[in-house]
């Protein structure tokens, strides 16, 4: 889950209340969020609300209420709810492709690259259930179609990375030279997406990484 280095603003005593005695420590002054901090808080809260698929409908009014701010305050940071979802998608992209790059840089064996990427994709979903609903498109129903297009493009990029890893495995003799790499990669990606959907549809009870090693042996055998 995204992390912010700052703390949320603290409550302020209402005007007209007697001041605290001089012997007591005065309450901390209200802190204004640092530049960019409020955007992070908004996205954190949106992601947390997405973790409850059967809960309240996510509206800007509900999001503002969770943050104890006005809807106008939200729109000072994001022009629309669609732009907030784009912020979540950007975080997912940055995290996932950063980890893929790390895996392919540190692991030279193509087949192990594929296995590590698949485990990472399932682990990311399990640690970020709200964002899993973004990855599956469930949270984007009724939102602007460009959001689903962006998720589709991200999935295509992940599949391209997996395909390149399998091609390396072929050159290393770890995967059959006559294998249909594109077909096998599509199958692996379909497995990952299926596990994401299973996790979300179960109310985040069924771990997406359950028996992943055994299933990878079947997929890549």
């Amino acid at each position: 889950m995204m992390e912010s280095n700052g703390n949320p603003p603290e409550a302020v005593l209402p005007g007209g209340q007697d001041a605290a005695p001089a012997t007591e420590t005065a309450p901390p002054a209200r802190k204004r969020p640092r530049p960019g901090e409020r955007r992070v808080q908004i996205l954190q809260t949106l992601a947390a609300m997405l973790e409850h698929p059967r809960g309240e409908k996510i509206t800007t009014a509900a999001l503002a209420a969770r943050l104890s701010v006005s809807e106008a305050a939200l729109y000072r940071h994001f022009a629309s709810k669609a732009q907030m979802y784009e912020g979540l998608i950007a975080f997912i992209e940055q995290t996932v492709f950063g980890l893929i790059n790390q895996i392919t840089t540190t692991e030279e064996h193509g087949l192990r690259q594929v296995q590590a990427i698949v485990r990472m994709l399932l682990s990311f979903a399990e640690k970020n259930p709200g964002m899993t609903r973004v990855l599956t498109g469930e949270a984007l129903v009724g939102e602007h179609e460009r959001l689903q297009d962006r998720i589709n493009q991200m999935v295509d990029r992940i599949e391209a990375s997996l395909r390149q890893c399998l091609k390396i495995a072929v050159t290393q003799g770890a995967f059959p030279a006559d294998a249909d790499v594109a077909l096998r990669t599509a199958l692996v990606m379909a497995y990952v997406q299926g596990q994401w959907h299973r996790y979300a549809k179960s109310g985040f009870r069924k771990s997406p990484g359950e028996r992943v090693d055994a299933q990878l042996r079947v997929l890549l055998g």
Side-chain angles (χ1 to χ4, degrees):
M1 185 72 70
M2 295 173 294
E3 295 181 355
S4 169
N5 293 325
N7 297 318
E10 304 204 12
V12 178
L13 291 174
Q17 188 166 336
D18 292 339
T23 55
E24 295 183 5
T25 303
R30 185 181 179 90
K31 294 169 59 180
R32 292 179 63 86
R34 293 191 294 271
E37 184 178 341
R38 178 64 81 189
R39 286 176 60 90
V40 173
Q41 290 173 343
I42 291 170
L43 294 179
Q44 285 177 324
T45 304
L46 175 58
M49 292 175 74
L50 287 169
E51 293 181 11
H52 304 282
R54 297 179 181 86
E56 62 186 312
K57 178 178 174 60
I58 297 180
T59 62
T60 53
L63 181 57
R66 282 286 191 97
L67 288 160
S68 300
V69 301
S70 66
E71 286 186 76
L74 296 182
Y75 291 124
R76 283 198 290 271
H77 300 280
F78 295 95
S80 63
K81 187 168 65 168
Q83 198 175 85
M84 296 176 199
Y85 279 113
E86 285 182 318
L88 285 184
I89 295 171
F91 171 79
I92 296 170
E93 289 174 335
Q94 180 182 2
T95 303
V96 165
F97 291 111
L99 291 170
I100 287 176
N101 183 63
Q102 182 179 321
I103 290 168
T104 56
T105 299
T106 58
E107 174 59 68
E108 296 181 356
H109 194 282
L111 207 55
R112 285 199 290 266
Q113 288 177 352
V114 173
Q115 294 166 342
I117 290 171
V118 168
R119 291 191 190 97
M120 177 273 292
L121 293 170
L122 300 182
S123 176
F124 177 86
E126 187 160 14
K127 293 176 181 177
N128 300 277
M131 294 185 198
T132 302
R133 293 185 61 216
V134 177
L135 285 167
T136 63
E138 179 187 339
L140 306 179
V141 174
E143 302 296 336
H144 198 288
E145 62 183 16
R146 74 173 183 271
L147 297 173
Q148 185 60 60
D149 288 342
R150 187 163 173 181
I151 289 294
N152 294 343
Q153 290 168 8
M154 180 172 63
V155 168
D156 288 344
R157 286 179 61 195
I158 295 172
E159 188 171 330
S161 296
L162 290 169
R163 186 162 55 248
Q164 181 59 32
C165 295
L166 272 188
K167 287 180 179 179
I168 292 172
V170 170
T171 65
Q172 294 170 335
F175 208 64
D178 59 350
D180 189 331
V181 170
L183 181 64
R184 191 63 66 93
T185 305
L187 183 60
V188 171
M189 194 67 230
Y191 160 73
V192 169
Q193 290 180 287
Q195 292 298 92
W196 287 344
H197 279 280
R198 178 176 178 266
Y199 182 47
K201 293 299 184 184
S202 72
F204 309 122
R205 291 188 300 273
K206 294 183 178 179
S207 168
E210 182 181 359
R211 301 191 66 191
V212 61
D213 292 336
Q215 290 166 344
L216 279 173
R217 284 194 293 272
V218 174
L219 289 168
L220 300 173

